[in-house]
Amino acid sequence: MSASADRAAKIGDTMLEVKDITLSFGGVKALTDISFDIKEGEIRAIIGPNGAGKSSMLNVISGFYHPQQGEVWFNGKKRGPMKPYQVARQGIARTFQNIALFKGMSTLDNLMTGRMTQMKTNLFWQAIWKGPAEKEELEHRERVEHIIDFLGIQAIRKTPVGRLPYGMQKRVELGRALAAEAKLLLLDEPMAGMNLEEKEDMCRFVLDVNDEFGTTIALIEHDMGVVMDLSDRVVVLDYGQKLADGTPDEVRSNQAVIDAYLGVSHD
Amino acid sequence: MFYREAGDFKTSYASDQQTFPIKLDRYFVWGVLAIAFLVIPFVINDYWEKSVLVPFLVWAMAALGLNILTGYCGQVSLGTGGFMAVGAYACYKLMVAFPEMNMFLVVILAGLITAMVGIAFGLPSLRIKGFYLAVATLAAQFFLVWLFNKVPWFYNYSASGQISAPERTVFDIAVTGPNAPPWATYLFCLILVVVFAYVARNLTRGRTGRSWMAIRDMDIAAEIIGVPPLQAKLSAFAISSFYIGMSGAMFFAIYLGSAEPTEAFGIDKSFLVLFMVIVGGLGSILGSFLGAAFMILIPVLLKNIMVGVLGWPADLAAHIEFLLIGALIMIFLIAEPHGLAQLWRVTKEKLRLWPFPH
């Protein structure tokens, strides 16, 4: 079986669909009538020049922004207005463009916080600790240790993340999102500011996450090489409008995209 | 043998995440607890009870409470004095209304009542942060003290406007009032502080504590990861006030015996506890104890040295004491802005590598 047919077999039904999203801040239209979908098991890239509305789109999906018009459908259900933590409970995790780790906490605690939505013991048992709370803590610790192994960050387990170098912090942030065991992972520029080696590592993690855990991934990225290699489908935004949507090859040959983004030779 | 953690290997996650992962630490803590419970009650006298141990325990409890709110959840509060007053007045009303009630229960109920008041005054934290929140909690401080001055129901219409603790018992042993033996009041406070320090440790190391710290470090990310900010902040206010209320109840019923709100629970108390938490170490249970020890025990020590050993006049000693304490606070904060607990952590890290620092 060829590689592409193999991929196609893994991609399932539509998981998340945004329909005619319009988002404006006062007079500024950040997004205008944007519609696209994300299918189960795929890696979906959102690209566009700076200020195109990519991060706003992610913020709409994760419940930070509430669009003036349009609908978000997740797992076949229309989503009402939701708070971010409710979105997290539905199984959507994300990372941020600027690292948003809990700087005073250790790597381990950051990852354990990622499991917040799965932990259930009430305050009383937590106060007593012995019994259900400790048992739950140890169960989740074991799951988190798998992620620590997966990302190869054993050595920094107990280090406060504020002390870690940038590349490592990005990795821990990915780990925290993974710890949530979300169905849909939103990555906002996971490779920004990294050197080549770190980028390669991060690409490997993204592919492995998708492959091993079957997690659906939507990512924003500026490195075209990365985007074209990793993603199954790409949606291109510019000035809050959708320019193109399709496989990397289709997008690469789309004239509007070439004009707006990839650069055009004026001769 | 040196104090170090090298060679102390862990083979299970349970042993890796215990409170004191280093063996010597565990022995030391058990030793301290053994002395506190088994030796001190037999040798304690009035002076040690009234000037050293009971105030230390009372303020350690308050520092634990504020540390949960400010150190762990990152919400600055200047209402500690007011919340202590709530605890004290709740304790007083309960003592008068239910004379037969066990004092442990009275103190815990007083804490619960304070927790509810804390939630009410914690509501602004959902909208405002940092200095602005500090000012909002300042309102709690002044409003509560004013309330206890103005509404006679709280002090049972006593002519002086004061409240005084009647004699109340735990298993037929008096722990409040003038006849309470020193060992009883000391043990009473010790049991409460040890039990609730353990509870604080448990809460801060588990899910609740991580949700507080997540809100403190990066509230947006906390929300995206599934921490409801409303629940996290209000639970921090509630539990913090619970501790502060208990400390207020102990302060009034055990330590002072009788109290008048403006004097006993003024804004200076709020600052005192805040200093304890900052000097001791924000976000550290150990830091709460170290901070309370620093702010309560050092003045006693200095006074004893200057008056007792050097024979200086008491008024001179009192003023020099202020100067020295102020200087010490500054020295400590310059040397280690993250408090005494951090100083200890750094020492431990150095010892781990000792004698080869590289």
mmCIF file of all heavy atoms in Angstrom, chain A residues 64 84-85 88-89 100 102 104 109 112 116 119 121 123 126-129 137-138 141 145 158, chain B residues 13-14 16-17 199 202 205 207-208 210 213-214 217-218 220-221 223-226 228 239 349:
data_model
loop_
_atom_site.group_PDB
_atom_site.id
_atom_site.type_symbol
_atom_site.label_atom_id
_atom_site.label_comp_id
_atom_site.label_asym_id
_atom_site.label_seq_id
_atom_site.Cartn_x
_atom_site.Cartn_y
_atom_site.Cartn_z
ATOM 1 N N PHE A 64 -12.183 30.940 23.687
ATOM 2 C CA PHE A 64 -11.789 32.246 24.224
ATOM 3 C C PHE A 64 -12.578 33.374 23.595
ATOM 4 O O PHE A 64 -12.962 34.322 24.256
ATOM 5 C CB PHE A 64 -10.305 32.495 23.975
ATOM 6 C CG PHE A 64 -9.474 32.126 25.131
ATOM 7 C CD1 PHE A 64 -8.490 31.172 25.012
ATOM 8 C CD2 PHE A 64 -9.693 32.719 26.362
ATOM 9 C CE1 PHE A 64 -7.734 30.806 26.099
ATOM 10 C CE2 PHE A 64 -8.935 32.363 27.446
ATOM 11 C CZ PHE A 64 -7.953 31.408 27.315
ATOM 12 N N PRO A 84 -13.728 28.297 28.116
ATOM 13 C CA PRO A 84 -12.581 27.466 27.717
ATOM 14 C C PRO A 84 -12.458 26.165 28.491
ATOM 15 O O PRO A 84 -12.135 25.129 27.914
ATOM 16 C CB PRO A 84 -11.389 28.374 27.993
ATOM 17 C CG PRO A 84 -11.913 29.746 27.851
ATOM 18 C CD PRO A 84 -13.334 29.696 28.312
ATOM 19 N N TYR A 85 -12.735 26.199 29.818
ATOM 20 C CA TYR A 85 -12.547 24.950 30.560
ATOM 21 C C TYR A 85 -13.592 23.900 30.193
ATOM 22 O O TYR A 85 -13.351 22.701 30.290
ATOM 23 C CB TYR A 85 -12.537 25.206 32.075
ATOM 24 C CG TYR A 85 -13.832 25.639 32.697
ATOM 25 C CD1 TYR A 85 -14.732 24.695 33.154
ATOM 26 C CD2 TYR A 85 -14.155 26.980 32.831
ATOM 27 C CE1 TYR A 85 -15.930 25.082 33.733
ATOM 28 C CE2 TYR A 85 -15.342 27.374 33.402
ATOM 29 C CZ TYR A 85 -16.234 26.419 33.851
ATOM 30 O OH TYR A 85 -17.410 26.807 34.416
ATOM 31 N N ALA A 88 -12.241 22.309 27.156
ATOM 32 C CA ALA A 88 -11.201 21.348 27.541
ATOM 33 C C ALA A 88 -11.829 20.030 27.951
ATOM 34 O O ALA A 88 -11.340 18.962 27.607
ATOM 35 C CB ALA A 88 -10.356 21.921 28.674
ATOM 36 N N ARG A 89 -12.941 20.113 28.672
ATOM 37 C CA ARG A 89 -13.594 18.878 29.122
ATOM 38 C C ARG A 89 -14.163 18.071 27.971
ATOM 39 O O ARG A 89 -14.344 16.872 28.074
ATOM 40 C CB ARG A 89 -14.715 19.216 30.108
ATOM 41 C CG ARG A 89 -14.135 19.588 31.450
ATOM 42 C CD ARG A 89 -15.220 19.873 32.444
ATOM 43 N NE ARG A 89 -14.615 20.391 33.668
ATOM 44 C CZ ARG A 89 -15.287 21.063 34.589
ATOM 45 N NH1 ARG A 89 -16.572 21.276 34.441
ATOM 46 N NH2 ARG A 89 -14.673 21.507 35.655
ATOM 47 N N ALA A 100 2.918 29.306 27.407
ATOM 48 C CA ALA A 100 2.039 29.626 28.535
ATOM 49 C C ALA A 100 2.088 28.501 29.547
ATOM 50 O O ALA A 100 1.085 27.912 29.900
ATOM 51 C CB ALA A 100 0.616 29.853 28.042
ATOM 52 N N PHE A 102 3.102 26.911 33.405
ATOM 53 C CA PHE A 102 3.012 27.371 34.791
ATOM 54 C C PHE A 102 4.426 27.418 35.333
ATOM 55 O O PHE A 102 4.994 26.409 35.733
ATOM 56 C CB PHE A 102 2.119 26.431 35.594
ATOM 57 C CG PHE A 102 0.794 26.191 34.936
ATOM 58 C CD1 PHE A 102 0.338 24.916 34.684
ATOM 59 C CD2 PHE A 102 0.005 27.266 34.534
ATOM 60 C CE1 PHE A 102 -0.879 24.695 34.058
ATOM 61 C CE2 PHE A 102 -1.203 27.054 33.916
ATOM 62 C CZ PHE A 102 -1.647 25.773 33.673
ATOM 63 N N GLY A 104 6.131 28.463 37.884
ATOM 64 C CA GLY A 104 6.594 28.118 39.220
ATOM 65 C C GLY A 104 6.490 26.627 39.537
ATOM 66 O O GLY A 104 6.934 26.189 40.581
ATOM 67 N N ASP A 109 4.551 18.581 37.556
ATOM 68 C CA ASP A 109 3.298 19.210 37.982
ATOM 69 C C ASP A 109 2.571 19.847 36.804
ATOM 70 O O ASP A 109 1.345 19.836 36.742
ATOM 71 C CB ASP A 109 3.569 20.277 39.052
ATOM 72 C CG ASP A 109 3.616 19.664 40.438
ATOM 73 O OD1 ASP A 109 2.981 18.619 40.627
ATOM 74 O OD2 ASP A 109 4.282 20.222 41.318
ATOM 75 N N MET A 112 0.888 17.057 35.152
ATOM 76 C CA MET A 112 -0.216 16.578 35.986
ATOM 77 C C MET A 112 -1.399 17.547 35.902
ATOM 78 O O MET A 112 -2.556 17.130 35.931
ATOM 79 C CB MET A 112 0.215 16.426 37.440
ATOM 80 C CG MET A 112 1.161 15.270 37.698
ATOM 81 S SD MET A 112 0.449 13.644 37.453
ATOM 82 C CE MET A 112 -0.496 13.441 38.947
ATOM 83 N N MET A 116 -5.986 17.568 34.655
ATOM 84 C CA MET A 116 -7.021 18.160 35.504
ATOM 85 C C MET A 116 -8.426 17.644 35.196
ATOM 86 O O MET A 116 -9.183 17.299 36.095
ATOM 87 C CB MET A 116 -6.977 19.678 35.304
ATOM 88 C CG MET A 116 -7.796 20.475 36.249
ATOM 89 S SD MET A 116 -7.229 20.329 37.937
ATOM 90 C CE MET A 116 -5.641 21.111 37.865
ATOM 91 N N MET A 119 -9.292 14.132 36.617
ATOM 92 C CA MET A 119 -9.198 13.812 38.044
ATOM 93 C C MET A 119 -10.489 14.166 38.753
ATOM 94 O O MET A 119 -11.089 15.188 38.485
ATOM 95 C CB MET A 119 -8.000 14.529 38.667
ATOM 96 C CG MET A 119 -6.698 14.039 38.070
ATOM 97 S SD MET A 119 -5.235 14.847 38.715
ATOM 98 C CE MET A 119 -4.872 13.838 40.121
ATOM 99 N N THR A 121 -11.427 13.074 42.448
ATOM 100 C CA THR A 121 -11.657 13.001 43.892
ATOM 101 C C THR A 121 -12.045 14.375 44.443
ATOM 102 O O THR A 121 -11.544 15.399 43.988
ATOM 103 C CB THR A 121 -10.415 12.527 44.675
ATOM 104 O OG1 THR A 121 -9.305 13.290 44.274
ATOM 105 C CG2 THR A 121 -10.163 11.064 44.481
ATOM 106 N N LEU A 123 -12.747 17.396 47.453
ATOM 107 C CA LEU A 123 -11.878 18.111 48.371
ATOM 108 C C LEU A 123 -11.627 17.335 49.658
ATOM 109 O O LEU A 123 -10.513 17.306 50.182
ATOM 110 C CB LEU A 123 -12.534 19.455 48.694
ATOM 111 C CG LEU A 123 -11.607 20.603 49.043
ATOM 112 C CD1 LEU A 123 -10.657 20.886 47.905
ATOM 113 C CD2 LEU A 123 -12.406 21.837 49.373
ATOM 114 N N GLN A 126 -9.163 14.628 49.174
ATOM 115 C CA GLN A 126 -7.855 15.209 48.915
ATOM 116 C C GLN A 126 -7.206 15.688 50.203
ATOM 117 O O GLN A 126 -5.996 15.590 50.379
ATOM 118 C CB GLN A 126 -7.979 16.388 47.967
ATOM 119 C CG GLN A 126 -8.177 15.973 46.538
ATOM 120 C CD GLN A 126 -8.293 17.182 45.662
ATOM 121 O OE1 GLN A 126 -7.389 17.978 45.554
ATOM 122 N NE2 GLN A 126 -9.442 17.358 45.059
ATOM 123 N N ALA A 127 -8.023 16.225 51.115
ATOM 124 C CA ALA A 127 -7.487 16.709 52.379
ATOM 125 C C ALA A 127 -6.924 15.564 53.198
ATOM 126 O O ALA A 127 -5.920 15.702 53.891
ATOM 127 C CB ALA A 127 -8.571 17.444 53.157
ATOM 128 N N ILE A 128 -7.580 14.405 53.114
ATOM 129 C CA ILE A 128 -7.108 13.249 53.877
ATOM 130 C C ILE A 128 -5.946 12.560 53.181
ATOM 131 O O ILE A 128 -5.067 11.996 53.815
ATOM 132 C CB ILE A 128 -8.275 12.257 54.088
ATOM 133 C CG1 ILE A 128 -9.307 12.930 54.984
ATOM 134 C CG2 ILE A 128 -7.794 10.971 54.705
ATOM 135 C CD1 ILE A 128 -10.494 12.091 55.258
ATOM 136 N N TRP A 129 -5.949 12.641 51.876
ATOM 137 C CA TRP A 129 -4.901 12.125 51.001
ATOM 138 C C TRP A 129 -4.845 10.604 50.956
ATOM 139 O O TRP A 129 -4.968 10.024 49.892
ATOM 140 C CB TRP A 129 -3.528 12.687 51.387
ATOM 141 C CG TRP A 129 -2.464 12.346 50.390
ATOM 142 C CD1 TRP A 129 -1.487 11.395 50.522
ATOM 143 C CD2 TRP A 129 -2.289 12.910 49.097
ATOM 144 N NE1 TRP A 129 -0.704 11.353 49.391
ATOM 145 C CE2 TRP A 129 -1.175 12.261 48.502
ATOM 146 C CE3 TRP A 129 -2.975 13.898 48.371
ATOM 147 C CZ2 TRP A 129 -0.731 12.580 47.233
ATOM 148 C CZ3 TRP A 129 -2.519 14.205 47.101
ATOM 149 C CH2 TRP A 129 -1.410 13.553 46.556
ATOM 150 N N GLU A 137 -3.916 9.938 42.276
ATOM 151 C CA GLU A 137 -2.690 10.652 41.953
ATOM 152 C C GLU A 137 -1.659 9.708 41.319
ATOM 153 O O GLU A 137 -1.029 10.040 40.314
ATOM 154 C CB GLU A 137 -2.140 11.280 43.243
ATOM 155 C CG GLU A 137 -0.887 12.083 43.071
ATOM 156 C CD GLU A 137 -1.152 13.544 42.752
ATOM 157 O OE1 GLU A 137 -2.340 13.941 42.735
ATOM 158 O OE2 GLU A 137 -0.178 14.258 42.517
ATOM 159 N N LEU A 138 -1.518 8.519 41.904
ATOM 160 C CA LEU A 138 -0.514 7.579 41.399
ATOM 161 C C LEU A 138 -0.894 7.044 40.019
ATOM 162 O O LEU A 138 -0.044 6.875 39.154
ATOM 163 C CB LEU A 138 -0.330 6.422 42.382
ATOM 164 C CG LEU A 138 0.317 6.820 43.714
ATOM 165 C CD1 LEU A 138 0.395 5.642 44.649
ATOM 166 C CD2 LEU A 138 1.689 7.421 43.498
ATOM 167 N N ARG A 141 -0.105 9.760 37.709
ATOM 168 C CA ARG A 141 1.345 9.904 37.619
ATOM 169 C C ARG A 141 1.894 8.906 36.602
ATOM 170 O O ARG A 141 2.769 9.230 35.799
ATOM 171 C CB ARG A 141 1.964 9.661 38.996
ATOM 172 C CG ARG A 141 3.475 9.550 39.007
ATOM 173 C CD ARG A 141 4.121 10.918 39.049
ATOM 174 N NE ARG A 141 5.553 10.826 38.828
ATOM 175 C CZ ARG A 141 6.459 10.802 39.805
ATOM 176 N NH1 ARG A 141 6.073 10.897 41.046
ATOM 177 N NH2 ARG A 141 7.740 10.725 39.523
ATOM 178 N N GLU A 145 3.963 9.747 33.333
ATOM 179 C CA GLU A 145 5.315 9.230 33.110
ATOM 180 C C GLU A 145 5.470 8.652 31.698
ATOM 181 O O GLU A 145 6.548 8.729 31.113
ATOM 182 C CB GLU A 145 5.655 8.167 34.155
ATOM 183 C CG GLU A 145 5.894 8.715 35.547
ATOM 184 C CD GLU A 145 7.189 9.521 35.657
ATOM 185 O OE1 GLU A 145 8.088 9.366 34.822
ATOM 186 O OE2 GLU A 145 7.277 10.325 36.609
ATOM 187 N N LYS A 158 11.674 17.130 37.660
ATOM 188 C CA LYS A 158 11.447 17.893 38.887
ATOM 189 C C LYS A 158 11.917 19.341 38.781
ATOM 190 O O LYS A 158 11.935 20.067 39.760
ATOM 191 C CB LYS A 158 12.170 17.212 40.057
ATOM 192 C CG LYS A 158 11.674 15.812 40.377
ATOM 193 C CD LYS A 158 10.496 15.838 41.320
ATOM 194 C CE LYS A 158 9.888 14.473 41.535
ATOM 195 N NZ LYS A 158 10.539 13.690 42.545
ATOM 196 N N TYR B 13 6.379 5.343 42.510
ATOM 197 C CA TYR B 13 5.933 6.732 42.416
ATOM 198 C C TYR B 13 5.455 7.223 43.772
ATOM 199 O O TYR B 13 5.610 8.388 44.111
ATOM 200 C CB TYR B 13 4.815 6.863 41.380
ATOM 201 C CG TYR B 13 5.278 6.562 39.981
ATOM 202 C CD1 TYR B 13 4.496 5.835 39.112
ATOM 203 C CD2 TYR B 13 6.517 7.018 39.542
ATOM 204 C CE1 TYR B 13 4.929 5.563 37.829
ATOM 205 C CE2 TYR B 13 6.958 6.748 38.271
ATOM 206 C CZ TYR B 13 6.159 6.014 37.414
ATOM 207 O OH TYR B 13 6.597 5.742 36.155
ATOM 208 N N ALA B 14 4.873 6.321 44.560
ATOM 209 C CA ALA B 14 4.381 6.732 45.876
ATOM 210 C C ALA B 14 5.531 7.232 46.734
ATOM 211 O O ALA B 14 5.430 8.275 47.385
ATOM 212 C CB ALA B 14 3.681 5.563 46.560
ATOM 213 N N ASP B 16 8.292 8.351 45.647
ATOM 214 C CA ASP B 16 8.911 9.506 45.015
ATOM 215 C C ASP B 16 8.165 10.791 45.320
ATOM 216 O O ASP B 16 8.746 11.864 45.372
ATOM 217 C CB ASP B 16 8.959 9.298 43.499
ATOM 218 C CG ASP B 16 9.739 10.402 42.811
ATOM 219 O OD1 ASP B 16 10.835 10.727 43.285
ATOM 220 O OD2 ASP B 16 9.235 10.949 41.813
ATOM 221 N N GLN B 17 6.842 10.707 45.528
ATOM 222 C CA GLN B 17 6.117 11.953 45.739
ATOM 223 C C GLN B 17 5.650 12.119 47.175
ATOM 224 O O GLN B 17 4.706 12.844 47.445
ATOM 225 C CB GLN B 17 4.965 12.111 44.744
ATOM 226 C CG GLN B 17 4.030 10.943 44.634
ATOM 227 C CD GLN B 17 3.175 11.083 43.389
ATOM 228 O OE1 GLN B 17 3.602 11.594 42.374
ATOM 229 N NE2 GLN B 17 1.933 10.644 43.472
ATOM 230 N N VAL B 199 -3.237 18.727 56.328
ATOM 231 C CA VAL B 199 -4.315 18.915 55.351
ATOM 232 C C VAL B 199 -3.882 19.910 54.266
ATOM 233 O O VAL B 199 -4.091 19.679 53.075
ATOM 234 C CB VAL B 199 -5.603 19.396 56.046
ATOM 235 C CG1 VAL B 199 -6.616 19.868 55.023
ATOM 236 C CG2 VAL B 199 -6.179 18.282 56.899
ATOM 237 N N ASN B 202 -1.631 18.263 51.875
ATOM 238 C CA ASN B 202 -2.351 17.361 50.980
ATOM 239 C C ASN B 202 -3.107 18.112 49.901
ATOM 240 O O ASN B 202 -3.130 17.710 48.749
ATOM 241 C CB ASN B 202 -3.340 16.499 51.774
ATOM 242 C CG ASN B 202 -2.624 15.488 52.626
ATOM 243 O OD1 ASN B 202 -1.446 15.222 52.399
ATOM 244 N ND2 ASN B 202 -3.309 14.955 53.612
ATOM 245 N N ARG B 205 -0.637 19.554 47.279
ATOM 246 C CA ARG B 205 0.096 18.670 46.379
ATOM 247 C C ARG B 205 -0.796 17.956 45.382
ATOM 248 O O ARG B 205 -0.301 17.319 44.466
ATOM 249 C CB ARG B 205 0.911 17.653 47.166
ATOM 250 C CG ARG B 205 0.091 16.622 47.911
ATOM 251 C CD ARG B 205 0.997 15.534 48.457
ATOM 252 N NE ARG B 205 0.523 15.014 49.721
ATOM 253 C CZ ARG B 205 1.093 13.974 50.332
ATOM 254 N NH1 ARG B 205 2.148 13.411 49.814
ATOM 255 N NH2 ARG B 205 0.616 13.549 51.471
ATOM 256 N N ARG B 207 -4.759 17.718 43.170
ATOM 257 C CA ARG B 207 -5.437 18.395 42.071
ATOM 258 C C ARG B 207 -5.790 19.835 42.420
ATOM 259 O O ARG B 207 -5.559 20.753 41.645
ATOM 260 C CB ARG B 207 -6.721 17.636 41.729
ATOM 261 C CG ARG B 207 -7.544 18.259 40.648
ATOM 262 C CD ARG B 207 -8.682 17.345 40.266
ATOM 263 N NE ARG B 207 -9.642 17.183 41.346
ATOM 264 C CZ ARG B 207 -10.745 17.933 41.492
ATOM 265 N NH1 ARG B 207 -10.998 18.861 40.608
ATOM 266 N NH2 ARG B 207 -11.557 17.739 42.483
ATOM 267 N N THR B 208 -6.348 20.040 43.626
ATOM 268 C CA THR B 208 -6.762 21.387 44.017
ATOM 269 C C THR B 208 -5.573 22.346 44.017
ATOM 270 O O THR B 208 -5.647 23.445 43.483
ATOM 271 C CB THR B 208 -7.379 21.353 45.427
ATOM 272 O OG1 THR B 208 -8.338 20.310 45.459
ATOM 273 C CG2 THR B 208 -8.043 22.649 45.754
ATOM 274 N N ARG B 210 -2.785 22.133 42.438
ATOM 275 C CA ARG B 210 -2.288 22.422 41.096
ATOM 276 C C ARG B 210 -3.206 23.377 40.368
ATOM 277 O O ARG B 210 -2.745 24.211 39.579
ATOM 278 C CB ARG B 210 -2.107 21.125 40.306
ATOM 279 C CG ARG B 210 -0.806 20.418 40.646
ATOM 280 C CD ARG B 210 -0.511 19.346 39.632
ATOM 281 N NE ARG B 210 -1.475 18.275 39.719
ATOM 282 C CZ ARG B 210 -1.307 17.183 40.465
ATOM 283 N NH1 ARG B 210 -0.207 17.018 41.133
ATOM 284 N NH2 ARG B 210 -2.233 16.264 40.522
ATOM 285 N N MET B 213 -2.194 26.780 41.691
ATOM 286 C CA MET B 213 -0.915 27.247 41.162
ATOM 287 C C MET B 213 -1.015 27.571 39.680
ATOM 288 O O MET B 213 -0.358 28.488 39.189
ATOM 289 C CB MET B 213 0.170 26.199 41.409
ATOM 290 C CG MET B 213 0.548 26.085 42.865
ATOM 291 S SD MET B 213 1.970 25.025 43.125
ATOM 292 C CE MET B 213 1.205 23.419 43.171
ATOM 293 N N ALA B 214 -1.861 26.817 38.966
ATOM 294 C CA ALA B 214 -2.044 27.095 37.552
ATOM 295 C C ALA B 214 -2.655 28.481 37.366
ATOM 296 O O ALA B 214 -2.223 29.259 36.515
ATOM 297 C CB ALA B 214 -2.928 26.026 36.915
ATOM 298 N N ASP B 217 0.078 31.065 38.087
ATOM 299 C CA ASP B 217 1.171 31.225 37.137
ATOM 300 C C ASP B 217 0.708 31.718 35.780
ATOM 301 O O ASP B 217 1.437 32.421 35.098
ATOM 302 C CB ASP B 217 1.910 29.893 36.968
ATOM 303 C CG ASP B 217 2.791 29.590 38.162
ATOM 304 O OD1 ASP B 217 3.004 30.516 38.960
ATOM 305 O OD2 ASP B 217 3.251 28.457 38.298
ATOM 306 N N MET B 218 -0.454 31.297 35.334
ATOM 307 C CA MET B 218 -0.892 31.660 33.977
ATOM 308 C C MET B 218 -2.365 31.356 33.876
ATOM 309 O O MET B 218 -2.754 30.237 33.537
ATOM 310 C CB MET B 218 -0.077 30.834 32.969
ATOM 311 C CG MET B 218 -0.286 31.178 31.533
ATOM 312 S SD MET B 218 0.369 32.763 31.024
ATOM 313 C CE MET B 218 2.120 32.396 30.916
ATOM 314 N N ILE B 220 -4.774 32.176 31.885
ATOM 315 C CA ILE B 220 -5.377 31.827 30.602
ATOM 316 C C ILE B 220 -5.120 30.366 30.265
ATOM 317 O O ILE B 220 -6.022 29.621 29.893
ATOM 318 C CB ILE B 220 -4.807 32.741 29.496
ATOM 319 C CG1 ILE B 220 -5.281 34.175 29.736
ATOM 320 C CG2 ILE B 220 -5.226 32.265 28.129
ATOM 321 C CD1 ILE B 220 -4.628 35.181 28.832
ATOM 322 N N ALA B 221 -3.851 29.962 30.436
ATOM 323 C CA ALA B 221 -3.504 28.568 30.149
ATOM 324 C C ALA B 221 -4.230 27.622 31.093
ATOM 325 O O ALA B 221 -4.625 26.526 30.704
ATOM 326 C CB ALA B 221 -2.005 28.362 30.253
ATOM 327 N N GLU B 223 -7.142 27.978 32.304
ATOM 328 C CA GLU B 223 -8.518 27.803 31.857
ATOM 329 C C GLU B 223 -8.593 26.867 30.660
ATOM 330 O O GLU B 223 -9.481 26.027 30.569
ATOM 331 C CB GLU B 223 -9.098 29.173 31.504
ATOM 332 C CG GLU B 223 -10.550 29.291 31.851
ATOM 333 C CD GLU B 223 -11.093 30.653 31.477
ATOM 334 O OE1 GLU B 223 -10.319 31.633 31.430
ATOM 335 O OE2 GLU B 223 -12.293 30.731 31.224
ATOM 336 N N ILE B 224 -7.614 26.996 29.769
ATOM 337 C CA ILE B 224 -7.627 26.178 28.559
ATOM 338 C C ILE B 224 -7.353 24.715 28.877
ATOM 339 O O ILE B 224 -7.749 23.819 28.148
ATOM 340 C CB ILE B 224 -6.585 26.726 27.554
ATOM 341 C CG1 ILE B 224 -7.145 26.670 26.148
ATOM 342 C CG2 ILE B 224 -5.305 25.951 27.564
ATOM 343 C CD1 ILE B 224 -7.945 27.823 25.793
ATOM 344 N N ILE B 225 -6.663 24.460 29.993
ATOM 345 C CA ILE B 225 -6.316 23.091 30.349
ATOM 346 C C ILE B 225 -7.439 22.452 31.166
ATOM 347 O O ILE B 225 -7.426 21.265 31.451
ATOM 348 C CB ILE B 225 -4.965 23.080 31.102
ATOM 349 C CG1 ILE B 225 -4.173 21.832 30.750
ATOM 350 C CG2 ILE B 225 -5.121 23.183 32.591
ATOM 351 C CD1 ILE B 225 -3.549 21.894 29.400
ATOM 352 N N GLY B 226 -8.437 23.260 31.521
ATOM 353 C CA GLY B 226 -9.604 22.689 32.182
ATOM 354 C C GLY B 226 -9.797 23.103 33.620
ATOM 355 O O GLY B 226 -10.504 22.442 34.362
ATOM 356 N N PRO B 228 -11.572 25.505 36.047
ATOM 357 C CA PRO B 228 -12.576 26.565 36.097
ATOM 358 C C PRO B 228 -12.089 27.667 37.036
ATOM 359 O O PRO B 228 -11.896 27.404 38.228
ATOM 360 C CB PRO B 228 -13.813 25.878 36.684
ATOM 361 C CG PRO B 228 -13.466 24.439 36.841
ATOM 362 C CD PRO B 228 -11.997 24.300 36.768
ATOM 363 N N ILE B 239 -10.801 28.168 51.582
ATOM 364 C CA ILE B 239 -9.918 27.374 52.430
ATOM 365 C C ILE B 239 -8.945 28.273 53.174
ATOM 366 O O ILE B 239 -8.672 28.071 54.363
ATOM 367 C CB ILE B 239 -9.219 26.295 51.583
ATOM 368 C CG1 ILE B 239 -10.264 25.257 51.186
ATOM 369 C CG2 ILE B 239 -8.089 25.639 52.351
ATOM 370 C CD1 ILE B 239 -9.863 24.357 50.093
ATOM 371 N N GLU B 349 19.924 21.847 47.572
ATOM 372 C CA GLU B 349 20.463 21.575 46.245
ATOM 373 C C GLU B 349 21.988 21.602 46.261
ATOM 374 O O GLU B 349 22.647 20.818 45.591
ATOM 375 C CB GLU B 349 19.932 22.616 45.263
ATOM 376 C CG GLU B 349 19.001 22.024 44.231
ATOM 377 C CD GLU B 349 18.315 23.094 43.424
ATOM 378 O OE1 GLU B 349 19.015 23.865 42.743
ATOM 379 O OE2 GLU B 349 17.073 23.175 43.501
#
